[in-house]
Amino acid sequence: FHLATMGGAKALGKHDIIGSFDVGKDADVVVWDLCEILPHATDEKFRLQMDARDLISLFVYRGCPAAAVSVYVRGKKIHEAPDRGLF
């Protein structure tokens, strides 16, 4: 995860403008629907036992366009999925 965020920004020499959620930095962000990528979406016990490593692994290996709720590039929303009644 670090390599895809601050580590990558440092390698490019751009850590002062990208790589984290610090105020004033540019950000490309995808908001995901976790239930779309969980292998056991209805198993609440499974969801409650997940840690950050589990979540990152799910996004890397099971992330798909259908799970993207909204997409932001440089802080501006460029995509929003149709309302799926999530909330």
Side-chain angles (χ1 to χ4, degrees):
F1 186 73
H2 173 75
L3 292 176
T5 56
M6 188 55 93
K10 285 182 180 179
L12 295 171
K14 297 186 179 245
H15 59 280
D16 56 335
I17 58 171
I18 62 172
S20 70
F21 286 114
D22 293 339
V23 174
K25 288 188 174 185
D26 288 340
D28 296 346
V29 178
V30 178
V31 178
W32 297 95
D33 176 359
L34 183 59
C35 291
E36 283 286 330
I37 61 174
L38 281 171
H40 307 289
T42 58
D43 186 350
E44 185 174 353
K45 183 179 177 184
F46 178 80
R47 287 192 310 246
L48 294 174
Q49 292 175 345
M50 291 179 16
D51 64 14
R53 291 174 295 199
D54 296 326
L55 289 171
I56 291 169
S57 181
L58 279 172
F59 293 127
V60 169
Y61 294 109
R62 295 182 56 92
C64 62
V69 174
S70 54
V71 179
Y72 297 81
V73 174
R74 297 187 80 190
K76 292 189 173 232
K77 186 184 290 184
I78 63 163
H79 170 75
E80 178 139 16
D83 184 16
R84 295 180 277 188
L86 299 176
F87 305 103

